Amino acid sequence: MPNPIDRSCLQQRRHQLAELIDDRVLLWSGSAVPRNFAANSFPFRASSHFLYLAGIPLQNAVLGLESGQLTLFMDDPPPEAILWHGPSPSRGDVAALIAAVTHYPLSALPSWAEDAATLPAPTLATRQEQTALLGRTLTEMGQGEQGVLVDPRDRQLAQAMVTLRLQQDQGAIEQLQEAAQVTVAAHLAGMQMSQPQSEAAVRAVIESVFSAHQCSTAYTSIVTVQGEILHHDRYTHSCCPGDLLLVDAGAETPYGWAADVTRTWPVSGQFSATQRHLYEIVLAAHDACIAEAAPGVEFRNLHLLAAHQITSGLVEVGILKGDPEELVERDAHTLFFPHGVGHLLGLDVHDMEDLGDLAGYAPGRQRCDRRGLRYLRLDRPLQPHMLVTIEPGFYQIPALLNDPELRRTYQDCVNWDRLVQFADVRGIRIEDDVLITETGCQILTSALPTTVDEITALLQD
Amino acid sequence: MPNPIDRSCLQQRRHQLAELIDDRVLLWSGSAVPRNFAANSFPFRASSHFLYLAGIPLQNAVLGLESGQLTLFMDDPPPEAILWHGPSPSRGDVAALIAAVTHYPLSALPSWAEDAATLPAPTLATRQEQTALLGRTLTEMGQGEQGVLVDPRDRQLAQAMVTLRLQQDQGAIEQLQEAAQVTVAAHLAGMQMSQPQSEAAVRAVIESVFSAHQCSTAYTSIVTVQGEILHHDRYTHSCCPGDLLLVDAGAETPYGWAADVTRTWPVSGQFSATQRHLYEIVLAAHDACIAEAAPGVEFRNLHLLAAHQITSGLVEVGILKGDPEELVERDAHTLFFPHGVGHLLGLDVHDMEDLGDLAGYAPGRQRCDRRGLRYLRLDRPLQPHMLVTIEPGFYQIPALLNDPELRRTYQDCVNWDRLVQFADVRGIRIEDDVLITETGCQILTSALPTTVDEITALLQD
């Protein structure tokens, strides 16, 4: 189990926050959510903003921040809890652990709350506690949304958190490296299964590596022979020779930091010629984006670079027809690569998506309707210490390829007869976690093979 | 993957419900709960009452029941969902699958809702939808609570559901057997680990067997060398020779049916003499309860039987002093066996605990303050097809054994010097899932060894 983030790092974050916001800040951790009855809950996951500043997950706790100094609001557990849950540290012990200057029970919150800025907690019950205390309704924001935070103090706090969390500090990088290492080990264990029988069996092996390292899943793992379903969340199929298995799974450390990694490999251990052709096209896009990733580079341009690479490759193998540049301008690649090439990664797998597009989109920018950019979650110039995913893909999605309007629009761009010959490729994605450095980037997940030869060698082991 | 419960069984449940309640019934499935942002949620778990009558988990669906006929309220997914989640069956297809007679979008609910009875959903967001539609506040009930349902229609529905769900039908039994079998396989895999290194590693192996069988965890697994912490929910310790490892873990089938099983075994493969003594005392209590379990037997008497067995055993080994009967009357056993001997099991691991003690306690009965009965979750005469756990235990809980008041009260009952010799036993629990039959009972988890010899043989394999 990794160490928690050290106190000096947490204190630095609190001081940096104080430089960006004048108001007092209150951040709620949240509480466990019942699964079927009150005592049987989902595993507790603290709010990411809370984790960023507290370092450890505490249930039913609130952080008060003023001039960089932390006040912890939390109740001691009821006396009976010791029978069921064992001895707990006192509030004072917890305060010392996270370098809180003072600490009070939750009943002291009202006297502290006046004029405080806050951010909506992920769970409704906690948002309603926030509303009751602060007298304002807090609405969660969805992907693509902006500006739902009504109160100017809350908006300023959101901007400040985005500023801080966009660039990972040393404490964060150590956690993210840990998440990446565990994830690499898990994917390797999945690839090295002697004969994967079923999606469920592969998922079980991969997630057991997370568990054995005290990690959880940062998101619902995708382990599927139907890679064309982008967020496939069931594991009901057998794995058959000839299938490609797409695995998109990432660990989350006990302190909440995520990895997000995808590999695609042949169940039989050998890529067919058609699978290899398309795999190498996706890999070329992946490699090109990583080669270009550096401070100052617009992430949107990496996305377009991936689109160009994939389009050129598909023209070369005869699936697309025409000039690659023109095809990308017409968004023809979205028939096969409909999503964005990556997103922010940190405490959340889509980092700070609870703030809508506030983190993902630079000030003044918003999502664009164009097919080729609609699903891009990140549109900012890269900065040092930003962590992003690079995850190009190729998919044959019936809902797109059989859509009458799309077929009309792209009738002249696709060689449908040629495409039929690639029927053994349903979905390929290759995804790594890429930390922007001062001059370029570093792949946190580079220990996991990407090339056809490397993967084939591993599968034959 | 097991088959879902067949439609004729579901229809029978609906007709039985109609015989017990005159009002229309509306039951909400609930929706996925965000983990850190809206698109990253905990795995969806439908409300158990919904699952009982629908058979399969459907998100954001509502069942309308009238005279045994089912109306399904559900929206078709938005067109864009097909890109991310693949093709979904239409509402009509789903309705046919679960034998709904009619089906409407959710917008049709208001015209159907008048005077309908309902039960509070586990998650707050859904309870607020219920309140908005029905105009009454629905409060979840906690363990030990009774009568929080204000509306007489809702109270009648709760009683009817208790009546139905107390006695498992054939469809339920098949699911529960499946959950039990997967759980047995998982515990066997845990026991057969060549050298358990850590709690986390054992948990990983056990839960991976659940996953490989498409099952989830019915509750947070307990895998600990600190068995004295009754609901220990972390996995941070190494396993050392000399430790007993207590594993309380149960699978839940994809349709929501649970198992709940505990085994305790020595990390080294061999029980010490002191561990063996106490293990055999707990096992004797376990076996005695199962030998007595039959229709008409008061579950409270099984609990007291376990208390007697444990007390007699502890007198024999010299830890307790005095007449066993008198010691139990004084609740002296609660120093070492503080919890109840079992509870209802079904769709929930504490079945129907969302209704407080309505299912666990027979009409007119309520929790009693006496130390020895306070945590008893079930106080009813057993009925055929009731599924209960039998789970006696022995623990050395510092919070109890060092409590000054308890030490005074039980000063004359405990040989503290003798107790010190059993320091290598922190916690032992042996738990099986027991289905009451027409004449006695059947252990659904009997394939898992219980005796010292059986366990030792398995560990040596």
Side-chain angles (χ1 to χ4, degrees):
Chain A
M1 183 150 162
N3 293 321
I5 292 173
D6 71 28
R7 280 177 291 193
S8 64
C9 176
L10 296 173
Q11 284 170 315
Q12 195 182 11
R13 292 176 185 174
R14 296 166 196 163
H15 285 291
Q16 286 169 333
L17 183 67
E19 285 169 24
L20 296 172
I21 184 165
D22 306 319
D23 299 298
R24 283 178 163 187
V25 170
L26 281 178
L27 288 171
W28 274 251
S29 67
S31 53
V33 182
R35 189 173 178 276
N36 35 2
F37 52 92
N40 193 21
S41 57
F42 291 108
F44 174 64
R45 202 323 176 139
S47 142
S48 294
H49 302 296
F50 179 97
L51 283 171
Y52 188 76
L53 290 161
I56 57 172
L58 299 169
Q59 291 201 41
N60 300 310
V62 182
L63 302 182
L65 287 147
E66 192 171 26
S67 311
Q69 302 294 309
L70 177 63
T71 301
L72 173 66
F73 298 90
M74 198 173 91
D75 289 340
D76 282 317
E80 231 185 49
I82 199 169
L83 175 61
W84 302 96
H85 303 291
S88 304
S90 70
R91 183 176 64 237
D93 294 340
V94 175
L97 185 70
I98 65 173
V101 176
T102 48
H103 56 91
Y104 300 104
L106 291 169
S107 60
L109 265 178
S111 67
W112 211 90
E114 204 184 338
D115 287 330
T118 195
L119 293 173
T123 52
L124 182 59
T126 303
R127 285 204 301 281
Q128 294 189 344
E129 285 172 34
Q130 295 178 286
T131 295
L133 188 75
L134 300 173
R136 56 181 183 268
T137 302
L138 291 153
T139 314
E140 59 188 327
M141 288 185 279
Q143 160 196 320
E145 286 181 333
Q146 285 187 333
V148 184
L149 293 173
V150 174
D151 192 279
R153 291 164 295 196
D154 300 345
R155 284 205 300 274
Q156 195 192 11
L157 174 57
Q159 285 292 0
M161 289 301 291
V162 167
T163 301
L164 290 186
R165 288 178 54 188
L166 271 179
Q167 293 181 277
Q168 309 295 351
D169 59 24
Q170 194 49 40
I173 289 171
E174 284 164 19
Q175 292 285 325
L176 293 161
Q177 283 170 330
E178 170 79 19
Q181 279 164 24
V182 171
T183 303
V184 166
H187 278 254
L188 287 175
M191 289 176 166
Q192 287 174 315
M193 285 174 76
S194 58
Q195 177 62 40
Q197 298 291 321
S198 66
E199 296 168 348
V202 179
R203 176 203 178 203
V205 164
I206 286 172
E207 294 190 359
S208 77
V209 176
F210 296 171
S211 286
H213 288 86
Q214 313 266 2
C215 289
S216 55
T217 50
Y219 52 96
T220 305
S221 305
I222 300 166
V223 181
T224 185
V225 293
Q226 295 188 344
E228 79 279 10
I229 299 177
L230 300 181
H231 285 177
H232 208 318
D233 61 358
R234 303 203 310 157
Y235 318 95
T236 53
H237 301 107
S238 301
C239 297
C240 301
D243 287 337
L244 287 176
L245 185 65
L246 185 153
V247 173
D248 184 346
E252 180 177 297
T253 73
Y255 309 107
W257 299 81
D260 181 2
V261 172
T262 308
R263 287 294 183 273
T264 309
W265 67 84
V267 168
S268 67
Q270 291 288 348
F271 289 85
S272 71
T274 43
Q275 290 170 341
R276 172 193 284 260
H277 279 314
L278 294 179
Y279 185 92
E280 287 182 336
I281 290 170
V282 176
L283 183 60
H286 165 274
D287 292 350
C289 289
I290 290 173
E292 288 298 310
V297 172
E298 288 284 352
F299 193 79
R300 171 202 287 249
N301 289 340
L302 291 188
H303 175 72
L304 291 171
L305 175 61
H308 274 280
Q309 286 283 343
I310 289 168
T311 305
S312 303
L314 294 180
V315 168
E316 264 174 54
V317 298
I319 291 175
L320 284 174
K321 299 183 292 189
D323 171 52
E325 200 144 336
E326 234 169 75
L327 288 166
V328 171
E329 264 163 42
R330 289 176 59 191
D331 293 327
H333 61 280
T334 63
L335 288 173
F336 303 105
F337 171 45
H339 61 73
V341 80
H343 51 77
L344 293 167
L345 177 64
L347 278 160
D348 308 306
V349 60
H350 298 162
D351 208 29
M352 296 178 271
E353 194 172 289
D354 64 307
L355 300 175
D357 275 345
L358 202 66
Y361 275 61
R365 297 187 190 174
Q366 52 191 3
R367 297 243 180 172
C368 134
D369 264 351
R370 195 180 140 186
R371 285 189 60 77
L373 294 168
R374 195 187 295 175
Y375 297 118
L376 190 58
R377 295 178 198 273
L378 179 57
D379 185 6
R380 281 185 174 271
L382 294 173
Q383 296 169 262
H385 306 156
M386 215 179 240
L387 182 64
V388 299
T389 66
I390 295 292
E391 48 175 314
F394 171 93
Y395 315 90
Q396 295 202 52
I397 303 173
L400 296 181
L401 298 179
N402 299 332
D403 180 88
E405 200 188 312
L406 289 175
R407 279 190 91 106
R408 253 195 318 278
T409 306
Y410 297 114
Q411 188 52 46
D412 60 318
C413 309
V414 180
N415 182 338
W416 300 100
D417 294 335
R418 178 70 177 138
L419 183 60
V420 168
Q421 296 168 7
F422 291 85
D424 67 349
V425 178
R426 304 181 69 148
I428 292 170
R429 182 163 60 251
I430 308 169
E431 176 181 28
D432 278 304
D433 299 346
V434 176
L435 182 68
I436 307 304
T437 60
E438 302 297 335
T439 55
C441 70
Q442 178 200 349
I443 309 175
L444 297 190
T445 44
S446 60
L448 205 54
T450 53
T451 70
V452 165
D453 288 349
E454 287 166 347
I455 287 181
T456 312
L458 189 69
L459 297 172
Q460 304 306 318
D461 261 3
Chain B
M1 183 149 163
N3 293 321
I5 292 173
D6 70 28
R7 281 178 288 192
S8 64
C9 176
L10 297 173
Q11 284 170 316
Q12 193 181 12
R13 291 176 184 173
R14 295 166 195 161
H15 285 292
Q16 288 169 331
L17 183 67
E19 284 169 24
L20 296 172
I21 184 165
D22 305 320
D23 299 298
R24 285 178 162 188
V25 170
L26 281 177
L27 289 170
W28 274 251
S29 67
S31 53
V33 182
R35 188 173 178 274
N36 36 1
F37 52 91
N40 193 20
S41 58
F42 291 108
F44 173 64
R45 204 315 177 146
S47 143
S48 294
H49 301 296
F50 179 97
L51 283 171
Y52 187 76
L53 290 161
I56 57 172
L58 300 170
Q59 291 200 43
N60 299 311
V62 182
L63 301 182
L65 287 147
E66 193 172 24
S67 311
Q69 302 294 309
L70 177 63
T71 301
L72 173 66
F73 297 91
M74 199 173 93
D75 289 340
D76 281 317
E80 230 185 50
I82 198 168
L83 176 61
W84 302 95
H85 303 290
S88 305
S90 69
R91 184 176 61 238
D93 294 341
V94 174
L97 186 68
I98 65 173
V101 176
T102 49
H103 56 91
Y104 300 104
L106 291 169
S107 60
L109 265 179
S111 67
W112 210 91
E114 205 184 338
D115 287 330
T118 195
L119 293 173
T123 52
L124 182 57
T126 302
R127 285 204 300 282
Q128 294 188 346
E129 285 171 35
Q130 295 178 285
T131 295
L133 188 75
L134 300 173
R136 56 181 183 268
T137 301
L138 291 153
T139 314
E140 59 187 328
M141 288 186 279
Q143 162 195 320
E145 286 182 333
Q146 286 188 330
V148 183
L149 292 174
V150 174
D151 192 278
R153 291 164 297 196
D154 300 346
R155 283 206 301 273
Q156 195 193 10
L157 173 58
Q159 286 290 0
M161 289 300 292
V162 167
T163 302
L164 290 186
R165 289 177 55 189
L166 271 179
Q167 293 181 279
Q168 309 295 350
D169 59 23
Q170 194 49 41
I173 289 171
E174 283 165 19
Q175 292 285 325
L176 292 162
Q177 283 170 330
E178 170 79 20
Q181 280 164 23
V182 171
T183 303
V184 166
H187 278 254
L188 287 175
M191 289 176 166
Q192 287 174 317
M193 286 174 74
S194 59
Q195 177 62 41
Q197 297 290 322
S198 65
E199 296 168 347
V202 179
R203 176 203 177 203
V205 164
I206 285 172
E207 295 189 358
S208 76
V209 176
F210 296 171
S211 287
H213 288 87
Q214 314 266 2
C215 289
S216 56
T217 50
Y219 52 95
T220 305
S221 304
I222 301 167
V223 181
T224 184
V225 293
Q226 295 188 346
E228 80 280 11
I229 299 176
L230 299 181
H231 285 177
H232 208 318
D233 61 357
R234 304 204 309 158
Y235 318 95
T236 54
H237 302 106
S238 301
C239 297
C240 301
D243 287 339
L244 287 177
L245 186 64
L246 185 153
V247 173
D248 184 345
E252 180 177 297
T253 72
Y255 308 107
W257 299 82
D260 182 2
V261 172
T262 308
R263 287 296 184 271
T264 309
W265 66 84
V267 167
S268 67
Q270 290 289 346
F271 288 86
S272 71
T274 44
Q275 289 170 342
R276 172 193 285 261
H277 280 312
L278 294 179
Y279 185 91
E280 287 182 337
I281 289 170
V282 176
L283 183 59
H286 166 273
D287 292 351
C289 289
I290 290 173
E292 287 298 310
V297 172
E298 287 285 350
F299 194 78
R300 171 202 286 248
N301 289 340
L302 291 187
H303 175 71
L304 291 171
L305 174 61
H308 273 280
Q309 286 283 343
I310 289 169
T311 304
S312 301
L314 294 179
V315 169
E316 263 173 54
V317 298
I319 291 174
L320 284 175
K321 297 184 292 188
D323 170 52
E325 198 145 336
E326 231 170 78
L327 289 166
V328 171
E329 264 163 42
R330 288 177 62 191
D331 293 327
H333 62 280
T334 63
L335 287 172
F336 303 106
F337 171 44
H339 60 73
V341 81
H343 51 77
L344 293 168
L345 177 64
L347 278 160
D348 308 307
V349 59
H350 298 162
D351 208 28
M352 296 179 270
E353 193 171 291
D354 64 307
L355 300 175
D357 276 343
L358 203 65
Y361 275 61
R365 297 186 191 176
Q366 53 190 0
R367 297 244 180 172
C368 133
D369 264 352
R370 195 181 139 186
R371 284 189 61 77
L373 294 169
R374 196 187 294 173
Y375 297 118
L376 190 57
R377 295 179 198 273
L378 178 56
D379 185 5
R380 280 186 177 270
L382 295 173
Q383 295 170 261
H385 305 155
M386 216 180 240
L387 181 65
V388 299
T389 65
I390 294 294
E391 49 174 315
F394 171 93
Y395 315 90
Q396 294 202 51
I397 303 172
L400 296 181
L401 298 179
N402 299 332
D403 181 87
E405 200 188 312
L406 289 175
R407 278 189 92 105
R408 253 195 320 277
T409 307
Y410 297 114
Q411 188 52 44
D412 59 319
C413 309
V414 180
N415 182 337
W416 300 100
D417 293 335
R418 178 69 176 139
L419 183 60
V420 167
Q421 295 168 7
F422 291 85
D424 67 349
V425 178
R426 303 180 69 147
I428 292 170
R429 183 163 58 252
I430 307 169
E431 176 181 27
D432 278 303
D433 300 346
V434 176
L435 183 67
I436 307 304
T437 61
E438 301 299 334
T439 54
C441 71
Q442 180 201 350
I443 309 175
L444 296 190
T445 45
S446 61
L448 206 54
T450 54
T451 70
V452 165
D453 286 350
E454 287 166 347
I455 287 181
T456 311
L458 189 70
L459 297 172
Q460 303 306 317
D461 262 2

